[in-house]
Amino acid sequence: MKNWLLPATVLMNRLNYMQKFFLIGLLLVLPSGLFITLLIGNINKEIGSLIKERQGLEYITGVSHFIEDLQLHRGMKNAYLHGDPSFEQQLTSKRVDIEKDIQQIRALNQRYGGVLQPETRFNQMMDDWELIKDIKSMTDANLSFSLHSEIISQSIALTEHVSSTSGLKTDRHNESYNLVDGLIGKLLVMLEHLGQTRGIASGIAADKQFGIDLKTQLTVLRGLIRSALDIVKGSLNIIYEEDPSLKQPIKRQMDAIEQGINQFIYWLDTEIMNANSLQISSPAIFEIGTSSIQMGFELQHTGLPIIDHLLQDRIEAWVRQRMMFLAILTIACLVVAYLFLGLYRSVIHSVHALNDASSRLAEGDLTARVRLNSQDELLSVGTAYNHMAEAFESIWSERKAHEEQLKYRAYHDQLTGLPNRVNFQEQLHAHLGDGKRLDRMLAILFIDLDRFKIVNDTLGHKAGDLLLQTVAVRLSDEQFANCQLFRMGGDEFTAIIPFIESKEEAVSIAERMLTVLDQPITLDTYEMKASASIGISVYPSDGQTLQELLTNADMSMYVAKKQGSNGYQLYHPLLNEQAQRKQAMELELRMALERNEFSLYYQPRIQLLGGHYTTVEALIRWNHPELGLVAPAVFIPLAEETGLIKPIGEWVLRTACRQSNQWQSEGITDVNMAVNISGVQFQSDYFIQEIADILAESDFDPNKLEFELTESVVMVNVPQAISKMKQLRDQGIRISIDDFGTGFSSLSYLKYFPVDILKIDRSFVKDIPLAPKDTAITKTIIALARRLGLEVVAEGVETEEQMAFLKSRNCNEAQGYLLSKPLPALEMTALLKNHQLSVG
């Protein structure tokens, strides 16, 4: 017996206690671990197969969108090539959609090409698509239709190929197999029959010709549609039997598709097949056919996520089973380790306790302590070790607290305590990863307070800080618990809504935020309301990356602010186009002064009683070398927004002064010059000095100059406006209020304004004396001006009746196309010299 145990005894004598216990435990755990490893390997294989099926489903979804758009393009192009030009714009838009679909499929090829092997068929389809884009002649209409149909046929074959290579067609679960069979293979065939019928019928309706060949094709297609419809319904009935829970969402849509097909065939029979003459329009028959096709694709879009959900459920079930086996193995290992450690501690507790504590301390565990029950020399060693560990822990805790404080400051705004821009970027990046992985939508809200600068400038930065803190508290209310709020800096906040079901959900939250902010806020002794402008962008429709979403939300916020305070704006792709056009226009506008593209036109005013000229108004025109004349209504607002209005306004004043001096040198001395002043110019701190410098530089008599200001300009800051107008009057410059009656001036302020002239806006003049309300307003403005000792000028006079009415009401002057349209300098000079003006 002793000789039999000798080899084991020799082995154990060569090992320390830890090695002995480990060897025994390994021999116990190894068999069970090997068994569970084999099980997990099989589970991983099942999970891999299901993931491959989901990849195939994702690829088929992309191809399905391509088929849907290509079918629409085929019908539109067939109608267009047969003579219906109404589809031209839709064709351009649909071609863009198809190119996007192709890019998406190419991306899927790159991701899954090695697994699904779709390249050969896809490349052939792309060759045919390039041929289609070059077809523009009606003689090639049949070729276009055939190429479209061939690509769609290849696309359907591609879905069949991917279904096979991904394992969807061989899935051993009846639910997913039948759904794939019904909603991918058979449904796409039915929709292609419908698409071909729609395309042929649209072409017939476009050129109003119906030959026997086309009639035969339509008859065959109508039969194929009926047959395919029955096949699809049969497949779906099998699905209902396998899983009754799928019947409600799918059958309702299938019934609607069948009804739409019946309606389409009815219109086909009555308006084309059996009609005496072809009266129905191409767009009409196209729209009728499109309705049922779209419902078919909507059914597919409903069914494919159901298949994906079934596959995902099975993946999760396998994952749970794998976790269970791992847990069993882990628990078994822990139980064995626990029993052996108990034995191990009982044998050499003191030595290994010191060794373990020392190792833990070396690895960074500052809570490691030694507890010894022995009374030998090791007790003093253990006590010394514990003192050393406590010293290290104290030093480390202080350092850790300092690091946590620094980390908090790096990720949070100091004023409001909200997460800051850095935190926002990290959180959004993480949420985008979740959104892509889980195929979920998320929303970004870009929040900018309205008129925050006014609060800072008028009430001080302390009040501004208090306003920001109040806004942060209100937007952190529990009703916004599903939002993450951040302060980006200044008066800008952002919010992330991690998971939304629709854009309307983001809109609802934005509306609630605006309502909360609209409640009164007390800042020191002042009470006010804090409104905001909110821009909204949604992943994935409005951007795929952090920068795209933030830029689009910022752009949308800017549009909301331009539309008025306390509002929101959802992002739309047109905003990008508008921004690009605006950016291009801004660049051209910056170069316009350098390239001498601006010119001044002049429109005269006459004295109604005497009939002589009193003033000419300088009106800027932009003659772009490619765009031609650009309307002031287009470029003036952009110039004001970008600040370019300042150099443009200075150029206008200098040019007008030079022209007026030229007229005086030619003997035209009794005509004053009127110049429009923008709000950006007028509100500049250096406006008065700049005017004085230009007049001195031009050697121009201020008494010959008149400035036209709108009501909205002078009402921004009434005390400042009064002061500046008085300084202009002191220089000899006359002041007129332009477009009077259309702004938001207060009569209580009007009496304090140092104004010489009121100009009645053309919107009131154009319908007098026939429009009673406009006539009453015009009479009132004239009477008001008379009471205040002001002159009155009527703009937009175009008829003799208007002129006669204004004379009868003692209006001082008139301006409009009846007298003269705006003229370039040479023509205006000739008009002034000849004095050929007829006043009725």
Side-chain angles (χ1 to χ4, degrees), residues 360-376:
R360 288 165 58 196
L361 180 63
E363 293 171 359
D365 184 5
L366 300 181
T367 63
R369 299 291 185 271
V370 178
R371 294 178 177 82
L372 299 177
N373 296 321
S374 64
Q375 300 298 317
D376 53 24

Side-chain angles (χ1 to χ4, degrees), residues 512-556:
R512 293 206 307 270
M513 286 183 172
L514 293 175
T515 301
V516 168
L517 292 179
D518 196 43
Q519 302 303 313
I521 296 176
T522 301
L523 303 179
D524 293 333
T525 58
Y526 297 93
E527 185 176 280
M528 63 169 294
K529 290 185 178 181
S531 63
S533 299
I534 301 178
I536 305 171
S537 64
V538 175
Y539 170 86
S541 60
D542 300 336
Q544 302 287 326
T545 66
L546 181 151
Q547 192 57 48
E548 287 176 346
L549 290 169
L550 188 59
T551 299
N552 292 338
D554 186 16
M555 185 187 307
S556 303

Side-chain angles (χ1 to χ4, degrees), residues 443-466:
I444 304 298
L445 273 60
F446 197 104
I447 307 161
D448 186 272
L449 300 184
D450 298 322
R451 298 177 294 279
F452 177 73
K453 186 176 183 299
I454 296 176
V455 175
N456 264 347
D457 293 345
T458 57
L459 303 182
H461 290 284
K462 181 179 179 182
D465 290 346
L466 182 58

Side-chain angles (χ1 to χ4, degrees), residues 141-151:
N142 291 335
L143 175 60
S144 171
F145 192 92
S146 298
L147 287 173
H148 277 92
S149 300
E150 175 62 21
I151 295 176

Side-chain angles (χ1 to χ4, degrees), residues 418-609:
L418 292 175
N420 61 10
R421 181 184 293 271
V422 175
N423 205 328
F424 166 79
Q425 292 176 344
E426 292 189 2
Q427 290 294 322
L428 181 54
H429 183 76
H431 287 306
L432 286 175
D434 292 341
K436 183 176 182 180
R437 178 169 51 84
L438 301 175
D439 194 21
R440 298 289 298 269
M441 298 170 62
L442 66 88
I444 304 298
L445 273 60
F446 197 104
I447 307 161
D448 186 272
L449 300 184
D450 298 322
R451 298 177 294 279
F452 177 73
K453 186 176 183 299
I454 296 176
V455 175
N456 264 347
D457 293 345
T458 57
L459 303 182
H461 290 284
K462 181 179 179 182
D465 290 346
L466 182 58
L467 174 59
L468 292 173
Q469 291 170 336
T470 304
V471 168
V473 170
R474 290 190 177 182
L475 296 185
S476 301
D477 187 81
E478 61 180 11
Q479 65 173 304
F480 304 116
N482 58 334
C483 297
Q484 292 178 273
L485 186 67
F486 305 83
R487 185 188 176 204
M488 305 294 281
D491 61 339
E492 295 178 345
F493 298 82
T494 56
I496 301 175
I497 311 174
F499 297 110
I500 59 173
E501 298 297 332
S502 66
K503 291 188 177 183
E504 287 72 19
E505 187 176 338
V507 168
S508 175
I509 291 174
E511 289 174 342
R512 293 206 307 270
M513 286 183 172
L514 293 175
T515 301
V516 168
L517 292 179
D518 196 43
Q519 302 303 313
I521 296 176
T522 301
L523 303 179
D524 293 333
T525 58
Y526 297 93
E527 185 176 280
M528 63 169 294
K529 290 185 178 181
S531 63
S533 299
I534 301 178
I536 305 171
S537 64
V538 175
Y539 170 86
S541 60
D542 300 336
Q544 302 287 326
T545 66
L546 181 151
Q547 192 57 48
E548 287 176 346
L549 290 169
L550 188 59
T551 299
N552 292 338
D554 186 16
M555 185 187 307
S556 303
M557 179 279 295
Y558 181 77
V559 172
K561 190 173 287 291
K562 293 288 287 184
Q563 293 172 348
S565 61
N566 201 37
Y568 66 86
Q569 174 66 49
L570 276 166
Y571 171 75
H572 191 277
L574 288 178
L575 299 182
N576 269 333
E577 297 178 15
Q578 294 170 359
Q580 292 171 0
R581 290 197 299 269
K582 179 179 175 182
Q583 187 177 15
M585 180 67 75
E586 179 183 345
L587 179 61
E588 293 292 323
L589 192 59
R590 289 185 183 277
M591 301 175 63
L593 274 174
E594 300 175 10
R595 298 189 299 210
N596 198 29
E597 294 176 1
F598 290 120
S599 62
L600 289 186
Y601 278 46
Y602 303 91
Q603 187 174 29
R605 300 197 323 239
I606 67 163
Q607 209 276 337
L608 286 177
L609 294 181

